[in-house]
Amino acid sequence: MKKQLLSLCIAIGTMIFAQSTDGPKFGIKAGGNLSSITGDDTKSKFGFYAGALVNVPISEVFSIQPEVVYSQQGAKAKDDYDFAGYTITNMKQNLSYINVPVMVQYNATPEFYLEAGPEFGFLVNAQAKGDINGNTYKASNKDSLKTFNFGLGIGLGYRFTSQLGINARYTAGLTDIVKNGGGETSKNTNFQLGLVIIFK
């Protein structure tokens, strides 16, 4: 499945460059995440993201923007717990992804744009962290999670200049991130806000 998706991305990229009405623009982006995992017992946590992009115009008002982004995601436990004489507090699920969004952008004005598109995520690290009776413990739990994540993103942006802009995006995960969830589905959600720098 991953190989098919990668082949599809390469094919799409080849067609995009072939049909481009203007040269591609390369850039970088970085900012903050407010992410969570669906469920009644979780709440949002902060992280950061950073990556590279290429923006390829395909008409006067539309462009395609593939990206490769490192993203810190996950969630916090909403409540503390008492279990078998142990007090468990400040529980966090930290997730690190390499995300590959492919956004279609509509340039409503030269400065303002709307965007939407799929996001392919690859889990590179997962860590559960919390305090038990006042002592902090952490452990990798990557083996219990799926390495591939798929979501859909929608966002908007504003260009202050041709080289500097701001972007806000919300991505909803569509796939269960847990290998054996016991009938309960857990999906990523992520809100991003950050800067975009384009190189001429």
Side-chain angles (χ1 to χ4, degrees), residues 3 17 20 24 30 41 59 61 68 103 106 112-113 118 129 133 135-136 139-140 154 156 159 169-170 177 183 192 197:
K3 291 181 180 179
F17 279 96
S20 175
D41 58 345
S59 74
V61 295
V68 178
M103 307 303 289
Y106 168 68
F112 178 74
Y113 63 89
K129 182 178 180 181
N133 289 345
N135 296 313
T136 300
S140 173
I154 186 170
L156 52 85
R159 303 178 181 96
R169 183 183 301 167
Y170 175 77
I177 66 171
Q192 297 179 333
I197 300 174

Side-chain angles (χ1 to χ4, degrees), residues 174-192:
L174 300 181
T175 53
D176 192 349
I177 66 171
V178 180
K179 287 182 179 179
N180 298 300
E184 183 178 349
T185 302
S186 299
K187 299 178 182 180
N188 285 315
T189 67
N190 191 26
F191 175 76
Q192 297 179 333

Side-chain angles (χ1 to χ4, degrees), residues 15-38:
M15 290 187 293
I16 289 169
F17 279 96
Q19 296 176 9
S20 175
T21 59
D22 194 7
K25 300 174 183 178
F26 297 88
I28 58 175
K29 61 184 304 186
N33 285 330
L34 183 62
S35 62
S36 188
I37 299 170
T38 57

Side-chain angles (χ1 to χ4, degrees), residues 131-189:
D131 298 334
I132 302 176
N133 289 345
N135 296 313
T136 300
Y137 295 89
K138 56 186 177 180
S140 173
N141 61 342
K142 184 180 177 182
D143 290 343
S144 65
L145 302 174
K146 296 178 182 178
T147 56
F148 178 73
N149 182 63
F150 178 73
L152 290 177
I154 186 170
L156 52 85
Y158 186 83
R159 303 178 181 96
F160 300 109
T161 69
S162 61
Q163 293 180 280
L164 179 64
I166 190 170
N167 177 263
R169 183 183 301 167
Y170 175 77
T171 303
L174 300 181
T175 53
D176 192 349
I177 66 171
V178 180
K179 287 182 179 179
N180 298 300
E184 183 178 349
T185 302
S186 299
K187 299 178 182 180
N188 285 315
T189 67

Side-chain angles (χ1 to χ4, degrees), residues 32-200:
N33 285 330
L34 183 62
S35 62
S36 188
I37 299 170
T38 57
D40 294 334
D41 58 345
T42 61
K43 61 181 181 180
S44 300
K45 68 178 287 290
F46 288 99
F48 77 90
Y49 70 90
L53 62 90
V54 55
N55 187 278
V56 185
I58 55 175
S59 74
E60 292 185 358
V61 295
F62 285 100
S63 59
I64 301 290
Q65 183 167 292
E67 304 171 2
V68 178
V69 180
Y70 171 79
S71 181
Q72 288 184 335
Q73 297 175 210
K76 293 181 180 180
K78 187 178 292 184
D79 302 307
D80 298 334
Y81 302 93
D82 290 315
F83 178 75
Y86 295 95
T87 300
I88 304 171
T89 61
N90 300 320
M91 285 297 298
K92 294 180 182 179
Q93 175 64 68
N94 297 317
L95 303 174
S96 298
Y97 282 94
I98 298 296
N99 289 327
V100 184
V102 182
M103 307 303 289
V104 178
Q105 294 183 343
Y106 168 68
N107 299 295
T109 71
E111 296 83 17
F112 178 74
Y113 63 89
L114 302 171
E115 62 180 11
E119 179 179 273
F120 310 97
F122 303 91
L123 183 67
V124 293
N125 190 39
Q127 185 184 79
K129 182 178 180 181
D131 298 334
I132 302 176
N133 289 345
N135 296 313
T136 300
Y137 295 89
K138 56 186 177 180
S140 173
N141 61 342
K142 184 180 177 182
D143 290 343
S144 65
L145 302 174
K146 296 178 182 178
T147 56
F148 178 73
N149 182 63
F150 178 73
L152 290 177
I154 186 170
L156 52 85
Y158 186 83
R159 303 178 181 96
F160 300 109
T161 69
S162 61
Q163 293 180 280
L164 179 64
I166 190 170
N167 177 263
R169 183 183 301 167
Y170 175 77
T171 303
L174 300 181
T175 53
D176 192 349
I177 66 171
V178 180
K179 287 182 179 179
N180 298 300
E184 183 178 349
T185 302
S186 299
K187 299 178 182 180
N188 285 315
T189 67
N190 191 26
F191 175 76
Q192 297 179 333
L193 179 64
L195 293 174
V196 178
I197 300 174
I198 299 295
F199 303 110
K200 286 188 175 181

